[in-house]
Amino acid sequence: MVTIGELINGMYTVVGKAIVEKDKKAIQKIAKEQVEQGADVLDVNTGPVAKDPVDAMKWLTETIQEVVSVPLCFDSTKAAVIEAGLQLAKGKSIINSTTADDEKLNKLLPLAKKYNAQIIGLTLDKSGVPKDRHKRSEHALKIISSCMEHDIPLDDVYIDPIVMPVNVAQPQAMELLESLREFQVISDPPPKTVVGLSNVSQGTKDRSLINRTFLVMAIAFGLSAAIVDPLDKELMDAMITSELILNKSIYCDSYLNAYRKK
Ligand code: THG
């Protein structure tokens, strides 16, 4: 499992404030904590507060790279904001994200090629998030074939079936799990998959419990990466234990510690 830390997102009050005040220390603390707790990659999202999101993305990228060396996942709906991060990134970045719309694909896939980046494809288009697994697979196929046309290795492509909050879209959780299974047979090799896990519990009371229960199920259905809160220790323990049960890591009595030390 690739763990992508979600906490550097301007939607969080502390992070939004740090971006506006250019408070390096605050961002660097969140970056270091996430990596210490097992994040393999850090998501970087300027959020809604930045007046100049291109400038904010440049500042965030430089600030984070001063203290950690994990790859970054540039999270924005604007290609120019993503490119601002890609230009400064030191490692193999992830573009978060394209949709299945031609307009988006034709803008973002050339960026993936130019910067040798991985890319997340959301299974949605202008008509919105699909309600069923069939439409999700249709979008996934469109994204995969477009990547092939742009000469992007499938190994660099993550398909995101888009997690909806369980309190307002309850049947969607099961549709999403089935999609993860369907994506395994959509191409050869199959695409990797990723979800924004915390979406599932937005607006609910037992967020951590819902997040980790859904994560374990999604891993069982073939999930390869997740955007999560790595400071949620019970979530990370459940993730590590899932890998153990699926025979992806070796059992020893201290497997949690052993995994944490990589
Ligand atoms: N897919 C992809 N990228 C994504 C998402 C996705 N990026 C953004 C998001 N979804 C994943 N990241 C988060 C980050 C925070 C929260 C949820 C998902 C979250 N935040 C609190 C909330 O909204 O209640 C904020 C609380 C606060 O303000 O302090 O839940 O699906 N590819």
Side-chain angles (χ1 to χ4, degrees):
M1 272 290 292
V2 177
T3 335
I4 306 172
E6 73 184 6
L7 297 178
I8 301 181
N9 188 317
M11 90 157 89
Y12 289 104
T13 321
V14 183
V15 176
K17 191 162 168 271
I19 292 171
V20 172
E21 294 171 1
K22 298 231 157 139
D23 178 356
K24 272 192 173 188
K25 287 263 151 52
I27 297 296
Q28 290 175 337
K29 178 168 180 284
I30 303 166
K32 279 192 280 190
E33 280 172 349
Q34 292 188 91
V35 173
E36 277 160 15
Q37 296 311 313
D40 303 305
V41 177
L42 296 182
D43 194 70
V44 187
N45 186 318
T46 64
V49 291
K51 275 200 208 90
D52 181 349
V54 165
D55 184 63
M57 188 57 101
K58 283 186 193 160
W59 178 78
L60 280 171
T61 303
E62 283 172 342
T63 301
I64 296 163
Q65 290 188 142
E66 279 175 21
V67 292
V68 295
S69 54
V70 296
L72 302 180
C73 175
F74 298 107
D75 188 353
S76 173
T77 52
K78 297 193 184 85
V81 177
I82 291 173
E83 187 163 18
L86 291 171
Q87 279 169 346
L88 296 170
K90 289 178 189 154
K92 181 150 176 120
S93 311
I94 304 179
I95 293 174
N96 188 8
S97 50
T98 180
T99 64
D101 288 307
D102 285 319
E103 199 183 300
K104 276 263 178 180
L105 288 162
N106 290 330
K107 217 184 262 176
L108 289 156
L109 296 185
L111 282 186
K113 188 79 205 156
K114 180 172 174 193
Y115 293 95
N116 185 30
Q118 299 194 309
I119 186 157
I120 297 174
L122 303 176
T123 59
L124 60 78
D125 65 7
K126 286 204 180 79
S127 59
V129 179
K131 293 263 182 301
D132 67 88
R133 66 192 76 162
H134 309 297
K135 194 78 193 164
R136 283 184 162 97
S137 287
E138 211 177 292
H139 288 319
L141 263 177
K142 165 96 186 274
I143 293 164
I144 290 165
S145 58
S146 190
C147 285
M148 289 165 109
E149 280 163 23
H150 283 84
D151 198 23
I152 313 271
L154 276 190
D155 211 38
D156 283 344
V157 181
Y158 286 92
I159 299 296
D160 181 341
I162 308 164
V163 172
M164 302 295 287
V166 74
N167 64 340
V168 295
Q170 198 169 346
Q172 287 303 305
M174 193 61 215
E175 285 301 316
L176 182 131
L177 293 174
E178 291 291 356
S179 283
L180 291 174
R181 182 143 59 199
E182 279 194 17
F183 295 163
Q184 308 296 316
V185 294
I186 219 170
S187 62
D188 187 14
K192 295 175 179 165
T193 50
V194 65
V195 295
L197 184 73
S198 305
N199 301 1
V200 75
S201 64
Q202 275 178 322
T204 67
K205 213 169 129 269
D206 294 307
R207 292 204 66 174
S208 175
L209 177 61
I210 292 173
N211 287 343
R212 69 178 176 273
T213 305
F214 193 53
L215 180 63
V216 169
M217 296 175 82
I219 291 173
F221 276 75
L223 185 69
S224 23
I227 305 170
V228 300
D229 173 2
L231 307 192
D232 182 341
K233 184 168 180 298
E234 285 171 315
L235 176 87
M236 296 299 277
D237 284 354
M239 195 262 299
I240 295 165
T241 308
S242 301
E243 301 254 271
L244 180 79
I245 302 291
L246 291 177
N247 199 24
K248 290 182 177 170
S249 61
I250 294 170
Y251 179 81
C252 63
D253 287 345
S254 59
Y255 74 92
L256 284 174
N257 285 332
Y259 188 101
R260 283 211 155 82
K261 287 186 189 135
K262 314 231 169 182

